[in-house]
Amino acid sequence: MTSITIALSKGRIFDDTAPLLKAAGVIALDDPETSRKLILTTTREDVRLIIVRASDVPTYVQYGSADMGIAGKDVLLEHGGAGLYQPLDLNIACCRMMVAVPDDFDYESAVRQGARLRVATKYLQTAREHFAKKGIHVDLIKLYGSMELAPLVGLADAIVDLVSSGNTLKANQLKAVEEIMPISARLVINQAALKLKYKTIQPLLEAFSAAVKS
Ligand code: PRT
Ligand code: MG
């Protein structure tokens, strides 16, 4: 029997992925929110799940410790995608990558004047590429979370972050001024595993694909 390991993060990715996994007959035997187990067996003897940090999913799949994984496009862009086959947009965990500034900051005029902006973000690659394309001069400051705080305490003029409802921006007197791109979660597959385990992976891929469409 060929066994498949799927890497995913708990929280919104796990919640949104559960119905897709179920369509392929995969139901975790423990709840990752309450269990401390990092390896979850499932209703399918040949499929197990490993629970990792969202930003670590591509790494586990790249090195073949997981055959497949589910990761946000934001995470995949920062990782670079080496060794990963990305066959399917799962259309889950959707949000938008945005530039945001304090309510009272005139972003348009700062850009027009060619001001050098300090931008705090977890998404260095994506931010660098975006501002370079627009010809906006930036100093990027790497943060690991809670980017919304940075402009409030003078660390940055702007942030690049994910926005879904917009409530976090609003609660911190920030406004979105530019959309960089829409974001959703993707299925990623280790390129070598795809070849070696094709007979097991292909039906899983088809089940996910059908579940996404329905
Ligand atoms: O939390 P951890 O540090 O472990 O990692 P993570 O934040 O990368 O993981 P997680 O589970 O929070 O997010 C996993 C994936 O969900 C991300 O990689 C995105 O692809 C996707 N996703 C979808 C989001 C959001 N929506 C989202 N709203 N990820 C984060 N957010 C955050 C955002 O950063 C901001 O702080 O939610 C806040 C904004 O939400 P609103 O609704 O107030 O606009
Ligand atoms: Mg988070």
Side-chain angles (χ1 to χ4, degrees), residues 17-183:
T17 304
L20 301 176
L21 289 170
K22 197 174 168 195
V26 178
I27 301 168
L29 295 179
D30 280 290
D31 176 358
E33 297 302 336
T34 52
S35 164
R36 285 167 190 268
K37 287 184 189 167
L38 299 175
I39 301 180
L40 303 182
T41 52
T42 75
T43 44
R44 269 182 64 164
E45 218 185 341
D46 61 342
V47 179
R48 64 176 188 171
L49 309 178
I50 60 173
I51 304 300
V52 304
R53 279 295 284 267
S55 44
D56 290 335
V57 166
T59 308
Y60 279 90
V61 178
Q62 173 187 6
Y63 289 99
S65 298
D67 302 295
M68 345 179 37
I70 290 127
K73 187 179 178 189
D74 50 317
V75 164
L76 291 169
L77 288 172
E78 293 302 305
H79 170 270
L84 303 179
Y85 173 54
Q86 301 184 26
L88 191 60
D89 183 345
L90 298 172
N91 218 355
I92 56 170
C94 298
C95 57
R96 295 180 295 160
M97 180 84 72
M98 310 279 285
V99 181
V101 299
D103 280 335
D104 58 7
F105 184 83
D106 190 346
Y107 179 74
E108 290 301 324
S109 99
V111 167
R112 232 182 299 119
Q113 289 162 23
R116 203 173 176 88
L117 296 176
R118 280 178 310 150
V119 179
T121 188
K122 184 166 148 184
Y123 309 101
L124 287 186
Q125 309 295 341
T126 310
R128 187 176 294 118
E129 198 173 309
H130 172 73
F131 292 112
K133 220 186 292 171
K134 300 209 89 180
I136 300 172
H137 299 289
V138 292
D139 290 316
L140 296 177
I141 300 170
K142 167 80 182 184
L143 289 178
Y144 291 87
S146 302
M147 274 77 83
E148 295 88 355
L149 178 64
L152 307 183
V153 295
L155 179 64
D157 304 304
I159 61 171
V160 166
D161 195 8
L162 302 175
V163 178
S164 43
S165 67
N167 289 338
T168 308
L169 291 183
K170 212 174 297 165
N172 293 291
Q173 294 86 47
L174 300 170
K175 59 181 178 189
V177 288
E178 226 160 54
E179 171 164 344
I180 300 180
M181 65 179 78
I183 297 289

